[in-house]
Amino acid sequence: MAYLDHAATTPMLPESLDAYVAAAREIGNPSSLHAAGRHARRLVEESRERIAAVLGARPSEVIFTSGGTESDNLATKGVFFARRDADSRRDRVVASAVEHHAVLDSVDWLAAHESAVADWLPVDAACRVDPAALAALIDEHGDELTVISVQWANNEVGTVQPIAELAALAARAGIPFHTDAVQAVGQVPVDFAASGASALTVTGHKLGGPVGVGALLLGRDVGATPLLHGGGQERDVRSGTLDTPGVVAFAVAVEAAVKTQPEYSARVSDLRDGLVARVRAAIPDAIYNGDPVHRLPGNAHFSFPGCEGDALLLLLDAQGIACSTGSACSAGVAQPSHVLVAMGADADRARSSLRFTLGHTSTGAEIDALMAALPGAVERARRATAWKTPRG
Amino acid sequence: MSGGVDSAVAAARAREAGHDVTGVHLALSRNPQTFRTGARGCCTLEDSRDARRAADVIGIPFYVWDMAEQFHESVVDDFVSEYAAGRTPNPCLRCNEKIKFEAVLDRAIALGFDAVVTGHHARLGADGLLRRSVDIAKDQSYVLAVLTREKLDRAMFPLGDSTKTQVREEAAARGLAVADKPDSHDICFIADGDTKGFLAGRLGESPGDIVDGRTGTVLGQHDGAYAYTIGQRKGLDLRVPAPDGKPRYVLSITPVTNTVTVGPREDLAVDTVTADRPIWHGSSTPVECEVQLRAHGEVVTADVTVDSDGLTARLHSPARGVAAGQAIVAYRPDPAGDIVLGSATITAGSRAAETVAAETVAAGV
């Protein structure tokens, strides 16, 4: 099988899996006071320190969660509630138009249920947010803004955002700035303190750790109203028994991913560049979506004019090649990607897109397998679009 | 794969026969939440999940294909406009013709597949002839007779030799969770089964007269002629009783004058049926055969002629409740399953004058 969908989830690193299994064999709730509990607590706190150390955060800023979706919900809804409670004039939430649904739908929910005003930052054709748009919004509504959320890198087209610039604008105005860095950690350099962000989302299963565990890095001075109530295990912001083996394995994976990031990035972006060049040579009218420079190393995203992305996916899947249309699903039905629509693509271009993402296990042989199948699949998928046109 | 037991077993049989099978569930609603919920329909998220689980158990790839736009244009809009035109459409037939064996088939062929397999209860064997299922009560050849030779050559119906009971038993034996799932009966895109309300919502109220077919007397008012079907007896709500006290039936619907014509049961009888858009499978006409005039309706013997004007059937005994828009399907009786000779869309039913006279005498008028 050629697995070209690492942005969906990537295989666990062997050292992370080993750490998980070792910790899972032990007993102890980190909140218990006895020796077993203290041992589990020690594993959790060591993990917290390891993550903080490699991501430029203080250990106390690491809040363990169930993953990216929960962290994004807490950073948007939780910070919104806290900021509005502190000053009722604040009722606006800012996010880029190309956020993951975990942010997008949280903001929509606040607008629908909490009378929040949603301000969507537009992107250019390469999916980049223009800091000037945020500056203008802060000038006009600075006193009313609760939280600003812009992803570090886009999960579909791989565009890396100018986070430091955006965070600096927010910091100058005293507005909390959250960034969803789920796709970025391990792929590009990510340093929480240096970025100037107040909150940052990271998750395990995109960087070689287990699924179901992640963290929100949250500055000590950033208030967030809890969304989950209970034991208050994580700084009273997040409740729930800590998942000791998950946290341990997550920390091992984060540390490994960050430490190997420079070599990883060089190797994978070389593979990716080869893939892109070969796709362009084989299918000259393919459109390479996203920013060619400010881009995740493993991401290659194309539109194939005249094809349905889901037809291509089916044809490649049948030949053992796993990739993604990169769009949201409801009942498995592909909707045109909001990311491509925000980039100015029409619905046909959005529907004709396919995402290939490489990761730590990727090989040249997988790209060879893709290139053996893709031209035929594109040709066949083009013929299949004729079904769309009703017959007389 | 609708999420029901028939398509699940059909897929399993096709795979077992050695074919390279891919499961496809059709998303037919623009908003999946708006279609019927629960186990009765074929278009809900739950049905999609049931289909996916069946594909897992069978061991085949599974995808959802979004056919909502095509379904809306070809089936739902057609359903509404046919009623507006005073005809009685069969949306399941239209879905087979335009969606399953056109939109899906065309796409599948283009993608490299050879055929569309469905869980319909009908036989299509090596001789290429479409026949009734062994399970007469579940037979669906009536709604498949619209398929052309070209489409039939790309169709597979693996269930035609089995009864529904056998299909359910086989599903249970194969470990398919849908073995006990209730059959779907109603129109899948009318969530609450209220066809009249569905049409009223799309066509609006359009009051008109209900008149007596023999005297022309106005007997009452209706809110929309589309709510009536030829042969309908209940719900006429006529204040004036018939002189003979006998029930009255809808005889015809005339959209131009927005009139519903009613009369006694004997006036429903027709002995000649004309139809257009014939799909005829080769045998020369006129031919004496059996015709079926609506889904699960009675079968009558007739002489059928197909020519450039369409199809004409002279019935050997009168039929009642013949509605324009329904299909007339011609069968040749056969011990190995009655063979579909062809079908067409009914445009009118009529009575020869001598038949009217004979019946009038017989009725003692």
Side-chain angles (χ1 to χ4, degrees):
Chain A
M1 181 177 78
Y3 186 76
L4 302 172
D5 200 16
H6 287 265
T9 196
T10 196
M12 277 184 77
L13 295 166
E15 58 266 44
S16 176
L17 186 57
D18 290 346
Y20 187 95
V21 172
R25 288 186 194 284
E26 298 185 38
I27 182 75
N29 182 327
S31 297
S32 297
L33 304 179
H34 45 61
R38 287 196 304 277
H39 177 67
R41 171 59 65 179
R42 178 182 167 182
L43 292 177
V44 167
E45 295 310 322
E46 285 173 354
S47 299
R48 198 188 304 279
E49 288 161 12
R50 291 172 89 168
I51 290 168
V54 294
L55 290 181
R58 287 181 289 177
S60 59
E61 291 174 323
V62 178
I63 295 169
F64 289 117
T65 67
S66 62
T69 293
E70 188 192 334
S71 294
D72 283 348
N73 271 260
L74 182 57
T76 48
K77 292 192 283 197
V79 174
F80 170 87
F81 289 132
R83 290 268 296 166
R84 191 184 58 179
D85 287 350
D87 183 342
S88 63
R89 285 175 306 166
R90 296 178 188 142
D91 66 347
R92 305 182 84 97
V93 190
V94 185
S96 87
V98 295
E99 293 301 303
H100 186 275
H101 274 283
V103 169
L104 212 62
D105 290 21
S106 292
V107 173
D108 275 339
W109 184 88
L110 287 170
H113 298 276
E114 293 293 331
S115 306
V117 177
D119 293 303
W120 301 108
L121 295 172
V123 295
D124 63 16
C127 195
R128 289 266 284 186
V129 172
D130 181 359
L134 179 61
L137 190 67
I138 290 173
D139 278 349
E140 195 174 346
H141 293 293
D143 293 343
E144 302 155 60
L145 302 185
T146 54
V147 59
I148 298 163
S149 186
V150 178
Q151 61 194 183
W152 198 295
N154 184 263
N155 52 305
E156 292 186 30
V157 300
T159 298
V160 177
Q161 300 293 351
I163 291 303
E165 273 183 81
L166 296 164
L169 289 169
R172 209 171 301 144
I175 303 158
F177 181 89
H178 165 249
T179 182
D180 175 351
V182 161
Q183 295 290 339
V185 175
Q187 307 288 319
V188 293
V190 172
D191 185 303
F192 183 56
S195 75
S198 344
L200 181 147
T201 292
V202 56
T203 195
H205 75 110
K206 309 285 193 188
L207 45 72
V211 73
V213 59
L216 181 67
L217 308 186
L218 184 67
R220 287 297 303 181
D221 54 344
V222 183
T225 301
L227 304 180
L228 302 179
H229 300 94
Q233 284 85 346
E234 288 290 275
R235 240 173 74 183
D236 278 339
V237 171
R238 201 272 186 181
S239 292
T241 299
L242 281 161
D243 169 11
T244 306
V247 161
V248 167
F250 173 45
V252 169
V254 171
E255 192 175 73
V258 172
K259 284 187 171 166
T260 58
Q261 185 273 328
E263 308 90 79
Y264 167 91
S265 176
R267 184 182 81 84
V268 169
S269 61
D270 273 356
L271 275 177
R272 190 271 319 275
D273 291 346
L275 184 161
V276 171
R278 290 172 72 180
V279 168
R280 288 178 140 168
I283 302 136
D285 62 344
I287 301 164
Y288 189 43
N289 295 307
D291 194 305
V293 179
H294 307 285
R295 187 179 195 108
L296 295 174
N299 178 290
H301 189 285
F302 292 94
S303 293
F304 295 101
C307 297
E308 296 271 322
D310 63 346
L312 280 174
L313 188 148
L314 180 155
L315 292 165
L316 293 174
D317 190 13
Q319 297 185 64
I321 293 156
C323 60
S324 167
T325 55
S327 54
C329 292
S330 84
V333 176
Q335 305 292 328
S337 152
H338 69 281
V339 174
L340 287 172
V341 170
M343 290 161 63
D346 58 25
D348 281 346
R349 181 173 151 204
R351 281 186 192 278
S352 71
S353 64
L354 215 53
R355 180 186 75 178
F356 308 107
T357 48
L358 309 180
H360 65 92
T361 58
S362 293
T363 63
E366 289 180 303
I367 293 166
D368 292 344
L370 170 67
M371 294 315 300
L374 185 65
V378 167
E379 193 191 325
R380 188 159 259 184
R382 277 191 180 140
R383 287 205 302 270
T385 45
W387 67 274
K388 278 245 151 190
T389 315
R391 293 201 294 215
Chain B
M1 297 181 73
S2 63
V5 63
D6 290 327
S7 52
V9 172
R13 286 186 178 182
R15 177 176 159 100
E16 208 162 83
H19 299 292
D20 182 358
V21 180
T22 291
V24 171
H25 176 78
L26 301 181
L28 298 178
S29 170
R30 286 167 171 165
N31 174 1
Q33 313 295 346
T34 62
F35 276 16
R36 179 192 298 148
T37 55
R40 295 167 59 227
C42 57
C43 314
T44 64
L45 296 177
E46 189 179 330
D47 293 314
S48 167
R49 202 161 52 230
D50 287 345
R52 181 183 297 276
R53 290 295 301 131
D56 290 343
V57 170
I58 298 162
I60 55 174
F62 175 84
Y63 305 94
V64 176
W65 285 6
D66 180 4
M67 294 279 170
E69 289 305 316
Q70 293 91 330
F71 185 75
H72 215 87
E73 283 169 25
S74 301
V75 180
V76 181
D77 288 349
D78 174 79
F79 180 82
V80 174
S81 62
E82 283 289 286
Y83 266 107
R87 294 186 286 266
T88 307
N90 184 319
C92 300
L93 183 159
R94 190 69 62 232
C95 181
N96 287 331
E97 180 190 15
K98 295 291 185 183
I99 304 298
K100 297 191 183 98
F101 293 97
E102 187 162 305
V104 173
L105 178 62
D106 287 356
R107 189 182 201 215
I109 298 301
L111 291 176
F113 295 96
D114 299 312
V116 168
V117 184
T118 67
H120 282 111
H121 284 265
R123 277 177 278 192
L124 182 61
D127 58 8
L129 299 172
L130 179 64
R131 298 166 188 265
R132 288 196 194 272
S133 164
V134 295
D135 190 335
I136 294 299
K138 290 289 171 188
D139 172 53
Q140 291 173 304
S141 60
Y142 178 84
V143 289
L144 295 168
V146 67
L147 302 184
T148 59
R149 180 74 260 156
E150 187 190 11
K151 290 177 181 183
L152 286 173
D153 287 343
R154 296 285 199 179
M156 285 175 62
F157 307 128
L159 303 188
D161 289 323
S162 303
T163 64
K164 182 79 182 205
T165 306
Q166 290 167 334
V167 170
R168 287 196 181 281
E169 286 166 0
E170 182 175 329
R174 289 180 182 276
L176 295 166
V178 291
D180 301 326
K181 193 169 169 176
D183 288 357
S184 56
H185 288 293
D186 305 326
I187 298 169
C188 70
F189 54 85
I190 301 180
D192 55 6
D194 177 12
T195 303
K196 193 171 171 177
F198 176 85
L199 291 169
R202 276 153 187 81
L203 295 172
E205 289 200 353
S206 175
D209 292 337
I210 300 177
V211 303
D212 185 300
R214 293 196 177 178
T215 65
T217 312
V218 175
L219 301 172
Q221 300 286 307
H222 63 75
D223 291 332
Y226 51 76
Y228 298 85
T229 306
I230 307 295
Q232 177 179 342
R233 174 182 152 194
K234 290 178 181 159
L236 294 179
D237 193 26
L238 296 174
R239 303 284 152 80
V240 192
D244 58 3
K246 288 186 177 167
R248 280 177 293 211
Y249 297 81
V250 175
L251 301 180
S252 64
I253 296 152
T254 316
V256 179
T257 55
N258 195 23
T259 303
V260 173
T261 304
V262 300
R265 179 173 152 82
E266 55 266 30
D267 287 6
L268 268 178
V270 302
D271 57 16
T272 302
V273 176
T274 55
D276 64 5
R277 300 173 56 222
I279 305 290
W280 198 257
H281 296 301
S283 62
S284 62
T285 66
V287 60
E288 185 180 302
C289 56
E290 292 183 341
V291 296
Q292 185 176 329
L293 301 163
R294 59 176 183 272
H296 308 293
E298 60 175 333
V299 169
V300 295
T301 308
D303 294 310
V304 170
T305 307
V306 179
D307 57 27
S308 56
D309 294 333
L311 180 151
T312 306
R314 299 196 190 286
L315 311 183
H316 293 193
S317 56
R320 294 186 174 78
V322 176
Q326 294 277 292
I328 174 170
V329 178
Y331 293 89
R332 183 167 76 225
D334 191 284
D338 297 352
I339 298 161
V340 171
L341 298 177
S343 81
T345 307
I346 296 172
T347 50
S350 59
R351 307 171 75 194
E354 60 272 28
T355 315
V356 177
E359 285 205 355
T360 306
V361 171
V365 177

